[in-house]
Amino acid sequence: MKEKIAQLKEQFNQRIDPIEHRDELERVKNEYIGRKGYVTQMLKEIALIPKEDRPKIGQLLNKTKQEIQHIISEKEKNFSKQVGKSKEIFDITIPGRNFGMGTVHPIELILRQTQEIFLGMGFRFVDGPEIELDYYNFEGLNIPKDHPARDDQDSFYINPEVLLRTQTSPMQVRTMEKQPAPVRIISTGKCYRRDSIDSTHTPMFHQIEGLAVDKDISLSDLKGVITEFCKQVFGKDRKVRFRPGYFPFVEPGAEVDVSCGLCNGKGCRSCGHTGWLEIMGAGMVHPNVLEMAGYDSEKLTGFAFGMGVERIAMLKYGINDIRLFFENDLRFLTQFK
Ligand code: DAH
């Protein structure tokens, strides 16, 4: 048994010296002092030798085990020190793991660009609630309970006085209630209507709202601001036109069109052969709206406008189905870097 132990030690010394890799060291460690290793095996064999020899052999074996353990841990320490220096342990040329960086959603891109454009023209950004009072969503905008304009905006009501906002226009009323003129704000966010889903409708969508109120604000101020916005979003060569349109909270009211970028206004399939694409509603703030918010409509005038962000994005990027924005398909989303 003594001899066997000496042999084991000798063999171990030969194995351990040339080891250069941590894996191999781990393997040899297991082979010798692991649960099923040689040393453990031999400790069990002690039971088989004569009783009087057992203490001595036991001591010798334990001492050998300690020596082996010591040599191995010294070597382990050495390896730890070497990490980073040795090419074989740490190969800096192996490509890293891809973290899959996201891209900004096209709707968010339009929102950011819009905010930048209007902030540049002296507008301030205000944020408002998506769960809104009937008063702000309709009544304060000159749309009383029995008004037929409510039919156009099938709403999600929570109770008779509370609903998911159908438009961002309530922020006009909320802002005017809070501050005296002059006002120059834009507000953006999600709106909700009970529309069935198709290529141009989703029950949740985004709007951008603008309002300016001051002394002597006129329709030409509205035209100037909107024209500048359209040129910055769609390009300098695009034309803008205002058609009469009806919205209860403006008088006069207008629908704003931008010339079709595909046919340059000549008329093609994408613009319904009219040469124009409708992009927003706008107008001069109705005196009733000013008065209800506590403003003197004899002294103050203002303009307002509102547009659908999905529609702007679809026209700008040539997207033909609104559902693409909400399907989270990376093949679509990663195109907008
Ligand atoms: N809120 C209107 C809608 O959702 C759009 C709109 C039209 C907003 C005219 C305005 C405006 O501020 O003046 O259809």
Side-chain angles (χ1 to χ4, degrees), residues 121-152:
M121 290 193 270
F123 285 70
R124 177 171 70 87
F125 180 82
V126 294
D127 204 4
E130 289 170 28
I131 300 172
E132 186 54 284
L133 291 174
D134 182 272
Y135 178 78
Y136 290 113
N137 198 80
F138 291 127
E139 219 125 321
L141 288 164
N142 205 26
I143 312 173
K145 285 255 193 291
D146 55 359
H147 199 288
R150 291 196 179 209
D151 293 346
D152 295 342

Side-chain angles (χ1 to χ4, degrees), residues 153 166-167 169 172 193 207 209-210 247 249-250 281-283 304-306:
Q153 303 192 359
T166 59
Q167 49 188 352
S169 307
Q172 294 185 27
R193 291 185 196 179
Q207 280 196 349
E209 190 79 19
F247 300 96
F249 39 94
V250 282
F305 57 87

Side-chain angles (χ1 to χ4, degrees), residues 226-240 258:
I226 295 303
T227 306
E228 177 59 25
F229 167 76
C230 290
K231 287 188 186 267
Q232 286 203 38
V233 172
F234 295 107
K236 278 204 167 24
D237 46 341
R238 302 293 274 274
K239 293 191 191 70
V240 181
V258 64

Side-chain angles (χ1 to χ4, degrees), residues 257-317:
D257 298 338
V258 64
S259 60
C260 177
L262 282 180
C263 62
N264 269 327
K266 289 191 191 76
C268 65
R269 256 181 57 190
S270 128
C271 56
H273 304 283
T274 62
W276 297 95
L277 303 159
E278 189 187 317
I279 54 159
M280 70 174 91
M284 299 306 290
V285 182
H286 197 291
N288 289 353
V289 175
L290 294 174
E291 292 289 337
M292 277 188 278
Y295 281 17
D296 185 347
S297 67
E298 294 291 326
K299 293 195 179 121
L300 297 165
T301 50
F303 66 75
F305 57 87
M307 63 193 117
V309 184
E310 283 76 5
R311 176 147 176 87
I312 302 283
M314 286 167 83
L315 294 174
K316 180 169 168 141
Y317 299 121

